[in-house]
Coordinates of all heavy atoms in Angstrom, one line a residue:
M1 N 77.9 221.2 97.0 CA 77.1 220.4 97.9 C 77.9 220.2 99.2 O 79.1 220.0 99.2 CB 76.9 219.0 97.2 CG 75.7 218.3 97.8 SD 75.4 216.8 96.9 CE 73.9 217.2 96.1
Q2 N 77.2 220.3 100.2 CA 77.8 220.3 101.5 C 77.9 218.8 102.0 O 77.2 217.9 101.5 CB 77.1 221.1 102.6 CG 77.1 222.6 102.3 CD 76.5 223.4 103.4 OE1 75.9 222.8 104.3 NE2 76.5 224.7 103.3
Y3 N 78.8 218.6 103.0 CA 79.0 217.3 103.5 C 77.7 216.7 104.0 O 77.4 215.5 103.8 CB 80.0 217.4 104.7 CG 80.3 216.1 105.4 CD1 81.0 215.1 104.8 CD2 79.7 215.8 106.6 CE1 81.3 213.9 105.4 CE2 79.9 214.6 107.2 CZ 80.7 213.6 106.7 OH 80.9 212.4 107.3
E4 N 76.9 217.4 104.7 CA 75.6 216.9 105.3 C 74.7 216.5 104.1 O 74.0 215.5 104.3 CB 74.9 218.0 106.1 CG 75.6 218.3 107.4 CD 76.7 219.3 107.2 OE1 76.8 220.0 106.2 OE2 77.6 219.4 108.1
D5 N 74.7 217.2 103.0 CA 73.8 216.8 101.9 C 74.3 215.5 101.3 O 73.5 214.7 100.9 CB 73.9 217.9 100.8 CG 73.3 219.2 101.3 OD1 72.4 219.2 102.1 OD2 73.6 220.3 100.7
L6 N 75.6 215.3 101.2 CA 76.2 214.1 100.7 C 75.8 212.9 101.6 O 75.5 211.8 101.1 CB 77.7 214.2 100.5 CG 78.1 215.1 99.4 CD1 79.7 215.2 99.4 CD2 77.7 214.6 98.0
V7 N 75.9 213.1 102.9 CA 75.6 212.1 103.8 C 74.1 211.7 103.7 O 73.7 210.5 103.6 CB 75.9 212.5 105.3 CG1 75.3 211.5 106.3 CG2 77.4 212.6 105.5
S8 N 73.2 212.7 103.6 CA 71.8 212.5 103.5 C 71.5 211.7 102.2 O 70.7 210.8 102.1 CB 71.1 213.8 103.5 OG 69.7 213.6 103.3
L9 N 72.1 212.1 101.1 CA 71.9 211.5 99.8 C 72.4 210.0 99.8 O 71.7 209.1 99.3 CB 72.7 212.3 98.7 CG 72.5 211.7 97.3 CD1 71.1 211.7 96.8 CD2 73.3 212.6 96.3
T10 N 73.5 209.8 100.5 CA 74.1 208.4 100.6 C 73.1 207.6 101.4 O 72.9 206.4 101.1 CB 75.5 208.5 101.2 OG1 76.3 209.3 100.4 CG2 76.0 207.1 101.4
Q11 N 72.6 208.1 102.5 CA 71.6 207.4 103.3 C 70.4 207.0 102.5 O 69.9 205.9 102.6 CB 71.3 208.1 104.6 CG 72.4 208.2 105.6 CD 72.0 209.2 106.7 OE1 71.2 210.1 106.6 NE2 72.7 208.9 107.9
K12 N 69.9 207.9 101.7 CA 68.7 207.7 100.9 C 69.0 206.6 99.9 O 68.2 205.7 99.6 CB 68.2 208.9 100.2 CG 67.6 209.9 101.2 CD 67.2 211.2 100.5 CE 66.6 212.2 101.5 NZ 66.3 213.5 100.9
Q13 N 70.2 206.6 99.3 CA 70.6 205.6 98.3 C 70.7 204.3 99.0 O 70.3 203.3 98.4 CB 71.9 206.0 97.7 CG 71.8 207.2 96.7 CD 73.2 207.7 96.2 OE1 74.2 207.5 96.9 NE2 73.2 208.2 95.0
L14 N 71.3 204.2 100.2 CA 71.4 202.9 100.9 C 70.0 202.4 101.2 O 69.8 201.2 101.1 CB 72.2 203.1 102.1 CG 73.7 203.3 101.9 CD1 74.4 203.6 103.2 CD2 74.3 202.1 101.2
E15 N 69.1 203.2 101.6 CA 67.7 202.8 101.9 C 67.0 202.3 100.6 O 66.4 201.2 100.6 CB 66.9 204.0 102.4 CG 67.2 204.4 103.8 CD 66.6 205.7 104.3 OE1 65.7 206.2 103.6 OE2 66.9 206.2 105.4
L16 N 67.3 202.9 99.5 CA 66.7 202.5 98.2 C 67.3 201.1 97.8 O 66.6 200.2 97.4 CB 67.0 203.5 97.1 CG 66.5 203.2 95.7 CD1 65.0 203.0 95.7 CD2 66.8 204.3 94.8
I17 N 68.6 201.0 98.0 CA 69.3 199.7 97.7 C 68.7 198.6 98.6 O 68.4 197.5 98.1 CB 70.8 199.8 97.9 CG1 71.4 200.7 96.8 CG2 71.4 198.4 97.9 CD1 72.8 201.1 97.0
G18 N 68.5 198.9 99.8 CA 67.9 197.9 100.7 C 66.5 197.5 100.3 O 66.1 196.3 100.3
S19 N 65.7 198.5 99.9 CA 64.3 198.3 99.4 C 64.3 197.4 98.1 O 63.5 196.5 98.0 CB 63.6 199.6 99.2 OG 62.3 199.4 98.7
L20 N 65.2 197.8 97.2 CA 65.3 197.0 96.0 C 65.8 195.6 96.2 O 65.3 194.6 95.6 CB 66.3 197.7 95.0 CG 65.8 199.0 94.4 CD1 66.9 199.7 93.6 CD2 64.6 198.8 93.5
T21 N 66.7 195.4 97.2 CA 67.2 194.1 97.5 C 66.0 193.2 98.1 O 65.8 192.1 97.7 CB 68.3 194.1 98.6 OG1 69.4 194.9 98.0 CG2 68.8 192.8 99.0
D22 N 65.2 193.8 99.0 CA 64.0 193.1 99.5 C 63.0 192.7 98.4 O 62.5 191.6 98.3 CB 63.3 194.0 100.5 CG 64.1 194.1 101.8 OD1 65.0 193.4 102.0 OD2 63.8 195.1 102.6
T23 N 62.8 193.7 97.4 CA 61.9 193.4 96.3 C 62.5 192.2 95.5 O 61.7 191.4 95.1 CB 61.8 194.7 95.5 OG1 61.2 195.7 96.3 CG2 60.9 194.4 94.3
V24 N 63.8 192.2 95.2 CA 64.3 191.2 94.4 C 64.2 189.8 95.1 O 63.9 188.8 94.5 CB 65.8 191.5 94.1 CG1 66.5 190.2 93.5 CG2 65.9 192.6 93.1
R25 N 64.4 189.8 96.4 CA 64.2 188.6 97.2 C 62.8 188.1 97.1 O 62.5 186.9 96.9 CB 64.6 188.8 98.6 CG 66.1 188.8 98.8 CD 66.4 188.9 100.3 NE 67.9 189.1 100.5 CZ 68.4 190.0 101.3 NH1 67.7 190.8 102.0 NH2 69.7 190.1 101.4
R26 N 61.8 189.0 97.2 CA 60.4 188.6 97.2 C 60.1 188.1 95.8 O 59.4 187.1 95.6 CB 59.5 189.8 97.5 CG 59.4 190.1 99.0 CD 58.3 191.0 99.3 NE 58.3 192.3 98.6 CZ 58.9 193.4 98.9 NH1 59.6 193.4 100.0 NH2 58.8 194.5 98.2
L27 N 60.6 188.7 94.7 CA 60.4 188.2 93.4 C 61.0 186.9 93.1 O 60.4 186.0 92.5 CB 61.0 189.2 92.3 CG 60.2 190.5 92.2 CD1 61.0 191.5 91.3 CD2 58.8 190.3 91.6
A28 N 62.2 186.6 93.7 CA 62.8 185.3 93.6 C 61.9 184.2 94.3 O 61.8 183.1 93.8 CB 64.2 185.3 94.2
D29 N 61.4 184.6 95.5 CA 60.5 183.7 96.2 C 59.2 183.4 95.4 O 58.8 182.2 95.3 CB 60.1 184.2 97.6 CG 61.3 184.3 98.5 OD1 62.3 183.6 98.3 OD2 61.2 185.0 99.6
M30 N 58.7 184.4 94.8 CA 57.5 184.3 93.9 C 57.8 183.4 92.7 O 57.0 182.5 92.4 CB 57.0 185.6 93.5 CG 56.4 186.5 94.6 SD 56.2 188.2 94.2 CE 54.6 188.2 93.4
Q31 N 59.0 183.6 92.1 CA 59.4 182.8 91.0 C 59.5 181.3 91.4 O 59.0 180.4 90.6 CB 60.7 183.3 90.4 CG 61.1 182.6 89.2 CD 62.5 183.1 88.7 OE1 63.3 183.5 89.4 NE2 62.7 183.0 87.4
E32 N 60.1 181.0 92.5 CA 60.2 179.7 93.0 C 58.8 179.0 93.2 O 58.6 177.9 92.9 CB 61.1 179.6 94.2 CG 61.4 178.2 94.7 CD 62.0 177.3 93.6 OE1 62.8 177.8 92.8 OE2 61.7 176.1 93.5
E33 N 57.9 179.8 93.8 CA 56.6 179.3 94.1 C 55.9 179.0 92.8 O 55.2 178.0 92.6 CB 55.8 180.4 94.9 CG 54.3 180.1 95.1 CD 54.1 178.9 96.0 OE1 55.0 178.6 96.8 OE2 52.9 178.4 96.0
L34 N 56.0 179.9 91.8 CA 55.4 179.7 90.5 C 56.0 178.4 89.8 O 55.3 177.6 89.2 CB 55.6 180.9 89.6 CG 54.7 182.1 90.0 CD1 55.1 183.3 89.1 CD2 53.2 181.7 89.8
R35 N 57.3 178.2 89.9 CA 57.9 177.0 89.4 C 57.3 175.8 90.0 O 57.0 174.8 89.3 CB 59.4 177.0 89.6 CG 60.2 177.9 88.7 CD 61.7 177.9 88.9 NE 62.3 178.8 88.0 CZ 63.5 179.3 88.2 NH1 64.1 179.1 89.4 NH2 64.0 180.1 87.3
W36 N 57.2 175.8 91.3 CA 56.6 174.7 92.0 C 55.2 174.4 91.6 O 54.8 173.3 91.3 CB 56.6 174.9 93.6 CG 56.0 173.8 94.3 CD1 56.7 172.7 94.8 CD2 54.7 173.6 94.7 NE1 55.9 171.8 95.4 CE2 54.6 172.3 95.4 CE3 53.5 174.3 94.6 CZ2 53.4 171.8 95.9 CZ3 52.3 173.8 95.1 CH2 52.3 172.6 95.7
R37 N 54.4 175.5 91.4 CA 53.0 175.3 90.9 C 52.9 174.8 89.5 O 52.1 173.9 89.2 CB 52.3 176.7 91.0 CG 52.0 177.1 92.4 CD 51.2 178.4 92.4 NE 51.1 178.9 93.8 CZ 50.1 179.6 94.2 NH1 49.2 180.0 93.4 NH2 50.0 180.0 95.5
V38 N 53.8 175.2 88.6 CA 53.9 174.7 87.3 C 54.2 173.2 87.3 O 53.6 172.4 86.6 CB 54.9 175.5 86.4 CG1 55.2 174.8 85.1 CG2 54.3 176.9 86.1
R39 N 55.2 172.8 88.1 CA 55.5 171.4 88.2 C 54.4 170.6 88.7 O 54.1 169.5 88.2 CB 56.8 171.2 89.1 CG 58.1 171.6 88.5 CD 59.3 171.1 89.3 NE 59.3 171.7 90.6 CZ 60.0 172.8 91.0 NH1 60.7 173.4 90.1 NH2 60.0 173.2 92.2
F40 N 53.7 171.1 89.7 CA 52.5 170.4 90.2 C 51.4 170.3 89.1 O 50.8 169.2 88.9 CB 51.9 171.2 91.4 CG 50.6 170.7 91.9 CD1 50.6 169.5 92.7 CD2 49.4 171.3 91.6 CE1 49.4 169.0 93.2 CE2 48.2 170.7 92.0 CZ 48.2 169.6 92.8
L41 N 51.1 171.4 88.4 CA 50.1 171.3 87.4 C 50.5 170.4 86.2 O 49.7 169.7 85.7 CB 49.8 172.7 86.8 CG 49.1 173.7 87.8 CD1 49.0 175.1 87.3 CD2 47.7 173.1 88.1
E42 N 51.8 170.4 85.9 CA 52.3 169.5 84.8 C 52.1 168.0 85.3 O 51.6 167.2 84.5 CB 53.7 169.7 84.5 CG 54.0 171.0 83.7 CD 55.4 171.3 83.5 OE1 56.3 170.9 84.3 OE2 55.7 172.1 82.6
S43 N 52.4 167.8 86.5 CA 52.2 166.4 87.0 C 50.8 166.0 87.0 O 50.4 164.9 86.6 CB 52.8 166.3 88.4 OG 52.6 165.1 89.0
A44 N 49.9 166.9 87.5 CA 48.5 166.6 87.6 C 47.9 166.4 86.2 O 47.1 165.5 85.9 CB 47.7 167.8 88.3
L45 N 48.4 167.2 85.2 CA 47.9 167.1 83.8 C 48.3 165.8 83.2 O 47.6 165.1 82.5 CB 48.4 168.3 83.0 CG 48.0 168.3 81.5 CD1 46.5 168.3 81.4 CD2 48.7 169.4 80.8
E46 N 49.6 165.4 83.6 CA 50.1 164.1 83.1 C 49.2 162.9 83.6 O 48.8 162.0 82.9 CB 51.5 163.9 83.5 CG 52.2 162.7 82.9 CD 53.7 162.7 83.2 OE1 54.4 163.7 83.0 OE2 54.1 161.6 83.7
E47 N 48.9 163.0 84.9 CA 48.1 162.0 85.6 C 46.7 162.0 84.9 O 46.1 160.9 84.6 CB 48.0 162.2 87.1 CG 49.2 161.8 87.8 CD 49.0 161.9 89.3 OE1 47.9 161.6 89.8 OE2 50.0 162.4 90.0
F48 N 46.1 163.1 84.7 CA 44.8 163.3 84.2 C 44.8 162.7 82.8 O 43.9 162.0 82.4 CB 44.4 164.7 84.2 CG 43.0 165.0 83.6 CD1 41.9 164.6 84.3 CD2 42.9 165.6 82.4 CE1 40.6 164.8 83.8 CE2 41.6 165.8 81.9 CZ 40.5 165.4 82.6
S49 N 45.8 163.0 82.0 CA 45.9 162.5 80.6 C 46.0 161.0 80.6 O 45.4 160.3 79.8 CB 47.1 163.1 79.9 OG 47.0 164.5 79.8
C50 N 46.8 160.4 81.5 CA 46.9 159.0 81.6 C 45.6 158.3 82.0 O 45.2 157.3 81.5 CB 48.0 158.6 82.6 SG 49.7 158.9 82.1
D51 N 44.8 159.0 82.9 CA 43.5 158.4 83.3 C 42.5 158.4 82.1 O 41.7 157.5 82.0 CB 43.0 159.3 84.5 CG 43.7 159.0 85.8 OD1 44.5 158.1 85.8 OD2 43.5 159.8 86.7
L52 N 42.6 159.4 81.3 CA 41.7 159.5 80.2 C 42.0 158.6 79.0 O 41.2 158.2 78.3 CB 41.7 161.0 79.6 CG 41.0 162.0 80.5 CD1 41.1 163.4 79.8 CD2 39.6 161.7 80.7
G53 N 43.3 158.2 78.9 CA 43.7 157.4 77.8 C 43.8 158.3 76.6 O 43.7 159.5 76.6
D54 N 44.0 157.6 75.5 CA 44.2 158.3 74.2 C 42.8 158.3 73.5 O 42.3 157.3 73.1 CB 45.2 157.6 73.3 CG 45.5 158.3 72.0 OD1 44.9 159.3 71.8 OD2 46.4 157.8 71.2
P55 N 42.2 159.5 73.3 CA 40.9 159.6 72.7 C 40.9 159.0 71.3 O 39.9 158.4 70.8 CB 40.5 161.0 72.7 CG 41.7 161.8 73.2 CD 42.7 160.8 73.7
L56 N 42.0 159.2 70.5 CA 42.0 158.6 69.2 C 42.0 157.1 69.2 O 41.4 156.5 68.3 CB 43.3 159.1 68.5 CG 43.3 160.6 68.2 CD1 44.6 161.0 67.5 CD2 42.2 161.1 67.3
E57 N 42.6 156.5 70.2 CA 42.6 155.1 70.3 C 41.2 154.5 70.5 O 40.8 153.6 69.9 CB 43.5 154.7 71.5 CG 43.8 153.2 71.6 CD 44.8 152.9 72.7 OE1 45.9 153.3 72.6 OE2 44.3 152.3 73.7
D58 N 40.4 155.2 71.3 CA 39.0 154.8 71.6 C 38.2 154.9 70.3 O 37.4 154.1 70.1 CB 38.4 155.7 72.7 CG 39.1 155.4 74.1 OD1 39.7 154.3 74.2 OD2 39.0 156.3 74.9
T59 N 38.5 155.9 69.5 CA 37.7 156.2 68.3 C 38.0 155.0 67.3 O 37.1 154.5 66.6 CB 38.1 157.5 67.7 OG1 37.9 158.5 68.6 CG2 37.2 157.8 66.4
D60 N 39.3 154.6 67.2 CA 39.6 153.5 66.3 C 39.0 152.2 66.7 O 38.5 151.5 65.8 CB 41.2 153.3 66.3 CG 41.9 154.5 65.7 OD1 41.3 155.3 65.0 OD2 43.1 154.6 66.0
H61 N 38.8 151.9 67.9 CA 38.1 150.7 68.4 C 36.6 150.7 68.0 O 36.0 149.7 67.8 CB 38.3 150.5 69.9 CG 39.7 150.1 70.2 ND1 40.3 149.0 69.7 CD2 40.6 150.8 71.0 CE1 41.6 149.0 70.2 NE2 41.8 150.0 71.0
A62 N 36.0 151.9 68.1 CA 34.6 152.0 67.8 C 34.3 151.8 66.4 O 33.2 151.4 66.0 CB 34.1 153.4 68.3
A63 N 35.2 152.1 65.5 CA 35.0 152.0 64.0 C 35.1 150.6 63.6 O 34.8 149.6 63.7 CB 36.1 152.8 63.3

């Protein structure tokens, strides 16, 4: 393999590493966004559950 071939291969590898690094950053951002959404949904579900009360408790009173 000639020097020019090695340089070209190295440049392509560096470009690939840069592309992979960008992809990993985007995935990390997406993961953080999903974590935030899960926390939001958990909070909303908790509030919703508190608003509804305990359905078994309501059944006991009716009996």
Side-chain angles (χ1 to χ4, degrees):
M1 198 174 255
Q2 293 186 357
Y3 176 78
E4 292 82 18
D5 295 334
L6 289 174
V7 169
S8 176
L9 182 59
T10 301
Q11 288 173 336
K12 288 177 184 176
Q13 288 173 332
L14 290 173
E15 289 171 8
L16 180 58
I17 289 169
S19 177
L20 290 172
T21 300
D22 291 342
T23 300
V24 169
R25 285 186 186 133
R26 284 195 306 272
L27 288 172
D29 290 344
M30 292 164 87
Q31 182 181 32
E32 185 58 35
E33 174 70 19
L34 288 173
R35 283 183 180 150
W36 182 87
R37 289 180 186 210
V38 166
R39 285 192 298 265
F40 173 79
L41 290 173
E42 287 173 339
S43 175
L45 181 60
E46 186 176 310
E47 285 184 38
F48 182 71
S49 296
C50 289
D51 289 346
L52 288 179
D54 185 0
L56 295 177
E57 188 177 291
D58 293 340
T59 305
D60 292 340
H61 290 298

